[in-house]
Amino acid sequence: MNSHFSQRSSPAEEEAIEVKAFVDLYNVSPAELRAEEHFECLPINRGCAISLPSAPAIGLNRVLGLNSVTDLEEAYEWMIGKTGHRFFQVNIDKVSAGTKDWILAKGLLEYGVGWAKLVYDGSSVNLSEPNSFRTRLVHVEEAMLFGSMVCKGFNFPSTLTRLWSAIVGKGGWSCFFALDGEYPVGTAAMYQSGTYAWLGGGTTLPEFRNRGVQKALIKSRVEHGLGNGVSTFAVETLEPVVGEPNISFDNLRKVGFRQAFHRKNFRL
């Protein structure tokens, strides 16, 4: 881990900015979408439980940022009443023995390889290499296009286009397109709260993948954030597995992000 970052922050802050982003995603989402898609969110202290059954992604169906048994029990009781996929995410190396016992008592089974949490603190970024693609902020009138591209990229149902389009132009959010000429071929988003920012929403049209689109969007968000007072960026992606390609992880490392910890996924 970047030693400068380790002196300035803690995993709790790295998690907290991600929690804030997803709670805000819920807050800015249209009321009719929440009702139709059974989209719900329960903030608990610095963490939350979030449920969007029609979304296949773990990120929208999970318990995040909670460590105490009391908070976890509240989130668990809320979450088991939901449909769809349900997960609990935790940096198992940092939790108490009581939390580990709680996981065992609930019979929660580890799911997949888990996620890598990566951070960047502004001291080691590599922005000198020219981008292969031009990027720009998404205009408010392009919100539906942005939302539809995110849904296609993450294999979300088209009914969730309104979810991702809702963040365009909202306070704290910055949304980006990568362009081939003037044609959008990739998307990305950044949520800022104070001096922290969370990066997400990165997708690329299939025919433009593996050509530097996401690397350009990572750098653009970092540059934009630094210009707006961000000192610490956080993002997550699949934990690398030896012998298997992980382009997202590699792109983040090339720009200057460092892995802070490994977050395990448990199925509820």
Side-chain angles (χ1 to χ4, degrees), residues 125-254:
V125 74
N126 177 19
L127 300 175
S128 59
E129 182 183 345
N131 288 336
S132 302
F133 289 85
R134 185 168 66 89
T135 65
R136 66 165 172 82
L137 288 167
V138 177
H139 304 311
V140 173
E141 61 270 21
E142 299 171 311
M144 292 301 287
L145 174 61
F146 176 83
S148 67
M149 288 180 66
V150 173
C151 285
K152 289 177 183 177
F154 286 109
N155 197 30
F156 285 4
S158 60
T159 53
L160 297 183
T161 294
R162 292 172 295 167
L163 173 65
W164 295 107
S165 64
I167 66 175
V168 178
K170 294 299 193 302
W173 290 97
S174 300
C175 300
F176 291 83
F177 279 142
L179 305 173
D180 180 42
E182 296 300 320
Y183 182 68
V185 298
T187 67
M190 182 182 79
Y191 177 78
Q192 179 179 350
S193 178
T195 60
Y196 282 79
W198 172 81
L199 307 185
T203 68
T204 305
L205 295 180
E207 61 269 33
F208 288 90
R209 289 174 183 165
N210 302 319
R211 291 171 54 181
V213 169
Q214 284 305 313
K215 190 175 180 181
L217 286 165
I218 294 166
K219 291 165 68 176
S220 293
R221 284 176 289 177
V222 169
E223 290 176 325
H224 183 76
L226 291 173
N228 284 279
V230 176
S231 60
T232 304
F233 299 80
V235 63
E236 56 284 338
T237 189
L238 282 178
E239 180 74 15
V241 175
V242 176
E244 296 183 12
N246 190 326
I247 296 173
S248 177
F249 183 89
D250 292 342
N251 282 338
L252 290 161
R253 289 297 302 271
K254 288 175 183 176

Side-chain angles (χ1 to χ4, degrees), residues 13-166:
E13 295 299 330
E14 299 149 24
E15 298 280 62
I17 185 60
E18 184 183 349
V19 171
K20 287 180 180 180
F22 277 84
V23 171
D24 198 73
L25 174 65
Y26 171 79
N27 287 336
V28 302
S29 64
E32 61 273 17
L33 179 139
R34 296 183 208 170
E36 293 169 7
E37 301 294 335
H38 305 288
F39 186 24
E40 299 180 67
C41 181
L42 176 67
I44 304 175
N45 294 329
R46 290 167 60 86
C48 73
I50 191 165
S51 174
L52 181 54
S54 60
I58 292 176
L60 286 160
N61 294 279
R62 58 178 171 158
V63 173
L64 172 69
L66 300 178
N67 294 318
S68 79
V69 172
T70 300
D71 289 345
L72 284 171
E73 190 64 31
E74 180 181 355
Y76 179 84
E77 291 300 322
W78 184 86
M79 201 69 172
I80 58 173
K82 311 305 174 187
T83 59
H85 302 293
R86 296 167 298 183
F87 297 91
F88 165 49
Q89 294 187 316
V90 66
N91 175 8
I92 200 70
D93 296 327
K94 292 293 183 178
V95 300
S96 67
T99 297
K100 292 178 181 178
D101 290 341
W102 181 86
I103 293 171
L104 289 172
K106 293 295 185 185
L108 304 186
L109 299 178
E110 192 171 339
Y111 177 86
V113 297
W115 289 8
K117 171 67 79 170
L118 295 100
V119 296
Y120 163 66
D121 69 351
S123 64
S124 60
V125 74
N126 177 19
L127 300 175
S128 59
E129 182 183 345
N131 288 336
S132 302
F133 289 85
R134 185 168 66 89
T135 65
R136 66 165 172 82
L137 288 167
V138 177
H139 304 311
V140 173
E141 61 270 21
E142 299 171 311
M144 292 301 287
L145 174 61
F146 176 83
S148 67
M149 288 180 66
V150 173
C151 285
K152 289 177 183 177
F154 286 109
N155 197 30
F156 285 4
S158 60
T159 53
L160 297 183
T161 294
R162 292 172 295 167
L163 173 65
W164 295 107
S165 64

